[in-house]
Amino acid sequence: MSSQSTSLTVAAVLRERITSGAVAPGGSLPKRADLAAEFGVSGSVIRQALTTLEDEGLVTLGRGAPATVNEPPPPAPAPQTAGVLLPDRIRAAFEAEHVTIDSFSLTAETLHEALAVAYLGVRSGALTPRSIALRVMVPAIDTRLALPSLIDDPGDTRPLERLRGIMNTCHDTLAMGLNSLHLRGHVPEVALEFRSVPLTPMHKLYLLNGTESLIGYYEVVPETVLLEGGEARIYDVLGIDSLLFRSSSGPDSRDAQDAAFVVSSQRWFDSLWNSIARPIESG
């Protein structure tokens, strides 16, 4: 067995002792020499195991002293709907000097509505970012999208034309909102990039200032909408009412997995943005 595999085994045993309460917060693990003797491994293996636990936020390592068990992080808050959580988190993101928001969704309609709260804070002077940069990624309308679709006739293109109208409206309103903040002297620098990808989003993702991710899954539902020719039943997705799950890689990160999810989500977004995503214009 490799030293890495052995260190992970040791870390797993020590982790269980900590999470079970066998070693209380503020208490200390045995000295490294004692741990090496207990597990019958070298000091380097113990050092690797303790480093793993430190990376997870479970212990604090001291030079020449036993590892101290940390207080457990607060429990993760319950997920909230996009219409509730996103405005709150975007407003918090606007407390930064340089604001970046990356969005992947079906239309960007929820993003547009959520920004209204932060914009109000900027106009009142409560929020004073020096720059705001939005990157918005939506599906390419000329792709054979799975949703939205007419229930009785999936080949009918009217739901997609309705989607195109919503997307164009969102594009225009996002651009007008940002430009208004800039032209009125509230924010010195603003930028908006709008790109499309040839796939049907089945989740929405928001990345705030590179340190926070909000992700939610679209639930497919039947809905009655007004199309050219009258009312029609379509399969659509829940947007503003979908639950968002938050992760952070900042100071309030719960653990290494929480932070890693943000990093992975950002890499996923960037991989699409820099490869198959294409700039689009309103109209």
Side-chain angles (χ1 to χ4, degrees):
M1 181 181 296
S2 68
S3 61
Q4 182 179 14
S5 298
T6 305
S7 71
L8 293 177
T9 301
V10 173
V13 174
L14 297 178
R15 185 185 300 110
E16 195 280 331
R17 292 178 185 176
I18 294 170
T19 57
S20 68
V23 184
S28 298
L29 295 176
K31 296 179 179 179
R32 297 185 185 185
D34 293 338
L35 289 173
E38 176 186 350
F39 290 97
V41 297
S42 66
S44 63
V45 169
I46 296 300
R47 185 166 54 253
Q48 291 175 26
L50 293 176
T51 299
T52 297
L53 297 180
E54 184 180 45
D55 291 342
E56 295 174 1
L58 293 175
V59 302
T60 297
L61 302 183
R63 178 173 295 181
T68 303
V69 176
N70 297 331
E71 290 288 340
Q80 296 175 293
T81 64
V84 173
L85 183 59
L86 188 59
D88 177 66
R89 297 314 307 162
I90 285 182
R91 191 188 190 285
F94 268 59
E95 294 176 1
E97 182 178 6
H98 301 287
V99 179
T100 63
I101 299 176
D102 292 338
S103 167
F104 172 72
S105 62
L106 189 62
T107 65
E109 188 173 18
T110 303
L111 174 64
H112 157 63
E113 295 185 9
L115 282 165
V117 176
Y119 285 177
L120 183 61
V122 173
R123 295 189 186 100
S124 71
L127 301 172
T128 57
R130 290 192 52 79
S131 69
I132 303 172
L134 303 184
R135 295 195 301 176
V136 180
M137 192 158 54
V138 294
I141 202 67
D142 56 355
T143 302
R144 186 177 177 83
L145 300 178
L147 295 164
S149 66
L150 205 63
I151 293 177
D152 296 331
D153 183 6
D156 193 311
T157 62
R158 288 179 297 163
L160 294 180
E161 290 303 316
R162 174 177 175 271
L163 179 66
R164 184 196 300 272
I166 295 173
M167 290 168 59
N168 287 339
T169 299
C170 290
H171 187 179
D172 292 342
T173 53
L174 283 171
M176 287 188 294
L178 273 182
N179 288 336
S180 175
L181 294 182
H182 177 63
L183 294 175
R184 294 177 182 273
H186 296 299
V187 183
E189 298 179 27
V190 299
L192 170 65
E193 292 185 81
F194 222 82
R195 294 188 183 184
S196 65
V197 286
L199 51 83
T200 305
M202 294 310 297
H203 73 277
K204 54 172 52 186
L205 173 68
Y206 306 99
L207 297 158
L208 311 180
N209 293 342
T211 61
E212 182 173 348
S213 66
L214 302 166
I215 188 170
Y217 295 100
Y218 283 125
E219 180 182 346
V220 180
V221 294
E223 184 179 12
T224 300
V225 298
L226 185 62
L227 301 177
E228 182 180 353
E231 290 186 347
R233 295 280 286 171
I234 68 171
Y235 283 125
D236 206 352
V237 296
L238 290 178
I240 200 167
D241 293 325
S242 61
L243 292 177
L244 290 182
F245 298 82
R246 178 177 180 267
S247 295
S248 171
S249 62
D252 61 342
S253 176
R254 293 186 296 274
D255 51 35
Q257 180 170 284
D258 200 44
F261 186 82
V262 178
V263 173
S264 181
S265 296
Q266 186 69 66
R267 290 180 61 183
W268 178 86
F269 183 94
D270 290 341
S271 71
L272 286 181
W273 187 267
N274 296 320
S275 59
I276 62 174
R278 296 290 180 266
I280 59 176
E281 300 293 339
S282 178

